[in-house]
């Protein structure tokens, strides 16, 4: 009897191993993932048989890209013709750049046009908002002034005081006849239910969730989230940046303390690409109330300023990691300095090499990260990577005043990027993200000055301090870095 049991166990174990080899073959030959991600998943498969493949089905499968975002209205807006004109004019050296710093970024602008259809606008006014209370006061004031429509897109939407304040304001505007649309990510806003939005819908508002789960508890598209945070008011004012909607973004969560983020308030023609981004995302999520083209969403906008800007999107629906390639181009173009603020720093090989080469070449590379984790593995992986860059001469600052969530990159008082994309593999290839690339001396200088002001609330992580870390921390860093391709 014992021999029979032993035989059955042997057969079962053999069957498990055969299944694992089969699953590994699928991963290697059909998915065609990045090599580092493939090795990380293979490790999971072989160390956690069967359960590892279940994790892979939830977290590792590539997203089907065909027709994910489609909107015929783009032709009516004239975006396709404008992009074709800008590509040809820049290529033939006939394009009129309104500032020297914008013209110096010709190659980056051209790349984002070809790679992402990111139209260049040069008539924008930009306000930089780094405090949650000021950001939401500005947004609420613009919502109060709305006459036609309000479009809100966020990753996290809380049912707390700030969330309820926004909700009641949107209900009020909907009752006034303003068209209100709210788009939130289903996983990021897990506490949201259809019942919660009943009054808003009854008042004429519309609400949609991005990639909602069709099965209770389990979401097969768990790994692909819409991390974008944008707002558009009447097609004339736009917001883009790192602030979600919840009390912690006002600094009211004791675990994080003061919340340091960066958001932009935009007036100018760049609002139109933001509007297009919202409509594309909305129409993907909505199966009942698609937005059709209307001039009201793209009104004529008088020149407000002189900031050059491109709105650049990226996500698992594309092959070229557009925001990451934009970061690479900014770093490679830098002669004087590169300042980066990010809550998560898990670069791929290309970005790590670019920063290392910049630092070794004498460029002043400075990276600011939080002093506390909100994702433990990501936190220790971050420490592993910044430790490596310190060896090349980069300077690392740990923000101590609270939690820094800003996603900014500034170079040479000439160009910058502000948006939703962190410096990590998830933002580059798994999340749907959107950033504003800015070509304007005054704006870049202001962002650099904000970084330097934040340094006063930070501790520099020196090589001496880093070397004194315990063996336990070194072990955590090693394990987290090993897993970083799938974090």
């Amino acid at each position: 009897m014992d021999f029979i049991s032993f035989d059955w166990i042997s057969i079962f174990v053999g069957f498990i191993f055969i299944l694992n080899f089969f699953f590994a073959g699928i991963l290697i030959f059909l998915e065609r993932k990045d090599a580092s991600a493939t090795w990380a998943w293979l490790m999971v498969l072989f160390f956690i048989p069967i359960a590892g493949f279940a994790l892979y089905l939830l977290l590792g499968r590539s997203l089907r890209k065909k027709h994910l975002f489609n909107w015929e209205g783009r032709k009516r807006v004239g975006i396709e013709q404008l992009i074709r004109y800008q590509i040809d004019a820049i290529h033939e050296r006939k394009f009129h750049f309104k500032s020297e710093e914008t013209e110096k970024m010709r190659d980056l602008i051209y790349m984002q046009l070809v790679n992402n259809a990111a139209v260049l606008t040069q008539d924008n006014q930009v306000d930089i908002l780094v405090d949650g209370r000021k950001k939401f006061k500005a947004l609420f004031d613009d919502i109060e002034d709305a006459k036609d429509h309000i479009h809100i897109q966020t990753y996290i939407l809380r049912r707390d005081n700030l969330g309820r304040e926004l909700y009641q304001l949107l209900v009020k505007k909907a009752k006034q006849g303003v068209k209100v649309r709210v788009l939130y990510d289903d996983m990021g806003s897990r506490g949201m239910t259809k019942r919660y939005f009943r009054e808003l819908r009854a008042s004429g508002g519309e609400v949609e969730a991005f990639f909602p789960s069709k099965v209770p508890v389990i979401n097969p598209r768990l790994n692909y989230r819409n991390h974008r945070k944008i707002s558009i008011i009447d097609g004339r004012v736009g917001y883009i940046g790192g602030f979600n909607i919840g009390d912690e973004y006002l600094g009211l969560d004791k675990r994080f303390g003061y919340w340091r983020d960066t958001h932009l308030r935009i007036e100018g023609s760049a609002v139109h690409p933001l509007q297009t981004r919202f409509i594309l995302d909305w129409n993907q999520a909505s199966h009942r109330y698609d937005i059709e083209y209307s001039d009201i969403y793209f009104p004529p906008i008088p020149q407000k300023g002189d900031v050059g800007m491109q709105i650049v999107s990226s996500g698992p629906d594309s092959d070229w990691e557009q925001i990451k390639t934009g970061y690479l181009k900014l770093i490679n173009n830098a002669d004087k300095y590169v300042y980066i603020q990010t809550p998560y720093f898990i670069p791929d090989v290309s970005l790590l090499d670019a920063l290392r080469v910049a630092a070794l070449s004498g460029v002043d590379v400075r990276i600011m990260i939080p002093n506390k984790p909100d994702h433990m593995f990501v936190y220790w992986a971050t420490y592993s990577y910044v430790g490596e860059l310190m060896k090349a001469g980069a300077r690392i600052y740990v923000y101590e005043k609270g939690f820094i969530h800003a996603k900014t990159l500034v170079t040479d008082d000439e160009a910058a990027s502000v948006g939703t994309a962190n410096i990590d593999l998830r933002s580059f290839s798994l999340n749907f993200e959107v950033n504003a690339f800015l070509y304007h001396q005054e704006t870049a200088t202001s962002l650099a000055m904000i970084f330097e002001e934040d340094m006063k609330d930070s501790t520099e992580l020196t090589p001496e301090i880093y070397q004194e870390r315990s063996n336990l921390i070194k072990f955590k860093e090693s394990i987290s870095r090993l897993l970083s391709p799938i974090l």
Side-chain angles (χ1 to χ4, degrees), residues 413-430:
D413 289 344
E414 293 174 346
S417 177
V418 175
T420 69
N422 300 304
I423 307 292
D424 67 3
L425 302 174
R426 175 165 293 280
S427 281
F428 295 155
S429 59
L430 297 177

Side-chain angles (χ1 to χ4, degrees), residues 87 137 139 142 152 194 207 242 260 278 319 327:
I87 289 173
K137 183 183 185 309
L139 176 62
D142 285 326
I152 305 287
K194 291 183 179 180
V207 183
R260 231 314 264 124
F278 176 87
D319 295 320
Y327 285 164

Side-chain angles (χ1 to χ4, degrees), residues 214-443:
K214 296 179 180 179
V215 181
V217 182
I218 299 174
N219 191 326
R221 292 181 289 189
L222 171 67
N223 219 26
Y224 302 105
R225 308 319 311 169
N226 198 318
H227 198 237
R228 294 166 183 152
K229 295 166 273 286
I230 59 177
S231 302
I232 303 95
I233 316 298
D234 287 346
R236 299 179 184 276
V237 178
Y239 287 81
I240 180 174
F243 282 105
N244 289 290
I245 300 167
D247 285 351
E248 67 261 44
Y249 305 100
L250 301 178
L252 299 178
D253 188 322
K254 292 181 180 179
R255 183 164 68 105
F256 295 113
Y258 180 72
W259 192 277
R260 231 314 264 124
D261 222 320
T262 302
H263 224 86
L264 303 179
R265 181 185 184 275
I266 302 167
E267 290 185 87
S269 296
V271 177
H272 287 178
L274 272 180
Q275 183 81 284
T276 301
R277 180 69 268 163
F278 176 87
I279 292 174
L280 287 166
D281 286 0
W282 175 269
N283 285 359
Q284 189 285 325
S286 173
H287 302 291
R288 298 168 296 168
Y289 306 111
D290 280 7
I291 299 175
E292 303 293 339
Y293 173 81
S294 171
D295 288 337
I296 202 70
Y297 299 126
F298 300 91
I301 298 179
Q303 180 165 337
K304 290 286 185 176
D306 60 349
V307 179
M309 186 184 307
Q310 287 175 293
I311 302 299
V312 179
S313 303
S314 67
D317 58 317
S318 57
D319 295 320
W320 299 106
E321 300 181 339
Q322 292 91 334
I323 292 176
K324 188 195 80 174
T325 56
Y327 285 164
L328 284 169
K329 194 68 175 172
L330 281 174
I331 293 165
N332 291 334
N333 285 349
D335 291 321
K336 301 173 184 175
Y337 73 83
V338 176
Y339 290 173
I340 293 174
Q341 291 177 312
T342 179
Y344 320 121
F345 186 75
I346 305 180
D348 66 357
V349 172
S350 63
L351 198 61
L352 192 65
D353 283 347
L355 288 167
R356 184 189 295 112
V357 168
L360 290 171
S361 301
V363 177
D364 183 6
V365 176
R366 304 187 190 190
I367 301 168
M368 189 174 294
I369 58 175
N371 74 334
K372 58 188 72 176
D374 65 340
H375 300 291
M376 190 60 70
F377 280 111
V378 176
Y379 179 75
W380 291 118
T382 289
Y383 262 75
S384 170
Y385 284 107
V386 297
E388 184 173 332
L389 280 177
M390 272 194 292
K391 296 177 184 178
R395 299 178 68 181
I396 310 302
Y397 294 88
V398 181
Y399 188 73
E400 304 284 0
K401 185 177 178 180
F403 186 76
I404 190 158
H405 190 250
K407 302 96 166 51
T408 64
L409 192 157
V410 194
T411 62
D412 291 358
D413 289 344
E414 293 174 346
S417 177
V418 175
T420 69
N422 300 304
I423 307 292
D424 67 3
L425 302 174
R426 175 165 293 280
S427 281
F428 295 155
S429 59
L430 297 177
N431 286 343
F432 297 93
E433 308 280 6
V434 61
N435 275 38
F437 281 75
L438 306 126
Y439 317 110
H440 188 250
Q441 183 177 10
E442 184 179 340
T443 303

Side-chain angles (χ1 to χ4, degrees), residues 23-81:
F23 293 153
I26 292 175
L27 175 61
I28 294 171
F29 296 108
L30 297 183
E31 289 286 349
R32 301 292 179 112
K33 289 183 176 294
D34 171 78
S36 59
T38 298
W39 279 111
W41 277 114
L42 286 174
M43 185 179 71
V44 171
L45 285 176
F46 284 110
F47 280 96
I48 318 175
I50 303 304
F53 190 71
L55 282 173
Y56 176 74
L57 290 177
L58 280 175
L59 302 176
R61 289 187 307 160
S62 297
L63 186 70
R64 293 184 63 185
K65 305 171 184 178
K66 190 175 181 181
H67 305 310
L68 188 59
F69 298 103
N70 193 18
W71 181 50
E72 289 299 315
R74 281 183 291 187
K75 297 176 182 177
R76 297 285 301 278
V77 182
I79 290 177
E80 294 177 3
Q81 298 92 321

Side-chain angles (χ1 to χ4, degrees), residues 40 346-347 381 385 425-426 479-487:
I346 305 180
Y385 284 107
L425 302 174
R426 175 165 293 280
I479 294 298
S480 298
R481 182 157 179 164
L482 192 63
L483 294 173
S484 63
I486 60 174
L487 289 176

